[in-house]
């Protein structure tokens, strides 16, 4: 920001002696206000308030939302919307570790040849059904799930807890399956990345085997997707300004739709 072109200093009117051979007189001259010159006042920005949205731990990657200035207040409003986040989670059958990740201390090796994609998808269907029942328990008590209002909210994707709840998986499906590796797409609320690694571990147990998580990548955080994200090479003023402008309308529409 400080390296960006700055507006010119304001000017003021001063009366200075005229440069003439005649009798002394004063003339009005417009001169810059030196107190506003960059070399006098120093850097305009010495600190900038930046807030973090839903955090990612050190072993995860993907969409990470930041708020700048007034955006910090909007982050709080977005948090209160309880929007769904989407992850791609990769796993590997045949191993178990202390922290459920492939970099943790190995505690067990198991066979996995008996696992098929059909068996995996049956387990995923059970997980989704169980979590759907849990979701209905935490939906706002003022909503009757048998009414037209509830149906219309469900169509708009607004059937979700509007308060604190345990982690809830709203959808889960298998993207890739090539033993021993597999990849899942998980839509969830109020999760942590460690919770998703534990889900992979529990899937391995349900399939009479074991599994570790090899990657957790967030592909969507509410209204923000990978297309909105800036790569490390794009961390400059122009790219950040453009990202803020591009996302303003998306945030405004979501807040109006959810919070009214």
């Amino acid at each position: 920001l400080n390296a960006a072109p700055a507006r010119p200093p304001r000017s003021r009117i001063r009366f200075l002696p005229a440069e003439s051979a005649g009798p002394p007189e004063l003339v009005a001259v417009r001169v810059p206000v030196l107190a506003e010159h960059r070399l006098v006042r120093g850097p305009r920005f010495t600190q900038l308030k930046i807030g973090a949205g839903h955090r990612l731990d050190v072993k995860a990657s993907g969409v990470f939302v930041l708020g700048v200035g007034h955006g910090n207040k909007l982050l709080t409003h977005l948090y209160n919307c309880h929007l769904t986040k989407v992850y791609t989670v990769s796993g590997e059958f045949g191993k178990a570790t202390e922290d459920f990740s492939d970099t943790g201390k190995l505690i067990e090796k198991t066979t996995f040849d008996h696992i098929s994609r059909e068996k995996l998808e049956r387990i995923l269907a059970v997980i989704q059904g169980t979590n759907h029942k849990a979701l209905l328990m935490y939906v706002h008590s003022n909503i009757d799930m048998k009414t037209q209002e509830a149906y219309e909210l469900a169509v708009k994707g607004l059937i979700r807890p509007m308060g604190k709840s345990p982690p809830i998986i709203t959808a889960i499906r298998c993207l890739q399956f090539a033993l021993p590796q597999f990849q899942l797409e998980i839509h969830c609320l109020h999760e942590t990345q460690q919770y998703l690694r534990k889900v992979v571990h529990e899937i391995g147990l349900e399939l009479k085997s074991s599994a570790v998580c090899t990657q957790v990548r967030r592909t969507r955080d509410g209204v923000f997707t990978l297309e909105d994200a800036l790569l490390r090479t794009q961390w400059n003023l122009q790219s950040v300004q453009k990202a803020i402008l591009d996302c303003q309308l998306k945030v405004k529409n979501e807040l109006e739709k959810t919070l009214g």
Side-chain angles (χ1 to χ4, degrees), residues 122-136:
R122 280 201 294 269
I123 296 298
L124 299 184
V126 172
I127 292 174
Q128 183 166 318
T130 303
N131 279 264
H132 181 68
K133 292 179 181 178
L135 173 63
L136 297 180

Side-chain angles (χ1 to χ4, degrees), residues 195-214:
Y195 167 77
L196 298 177
R197 296 186 188 99
K198 187 178 179 182
V199 169
V200 170
H201 168 75
E202 292 174 347
I203 288 173
L205 296 179
E206 290 293 332
L207 291 168
K208 306 295 189 294
S209 181
S210 57
V212 294
C213 181
T214 58

Side-chain angles (χ1 to χ4, degrees), residues 9 33-43:
V33 179
L34 294 181
E36 295 187 2
H37 195 281
R38 180 178 293 186
L39 296 179
V40 177
R41 62 168 170 75

Side-chain angles (χ1 to χ4, degrees), residues 9 22-24 32 36 38-39 45 81 89 109-110 119 126 145 165 177 193 213 234 236-237 247-248 257 260:
E36 295 187 2
R38 180 178 293 186
L39 296 179
F45 297 95
C81 290
V89 179
K109 281 192 174 183
T110 55
K119 291 180 179 179
V126 172
M145 298 307 297
S165 76
F177 184 85
Q193 289 77 57
C213 181
Q234 297 172 303
N236 54 64
L237 179 61
C247 292
Q248 279 181 343
K257 182 175 70 173

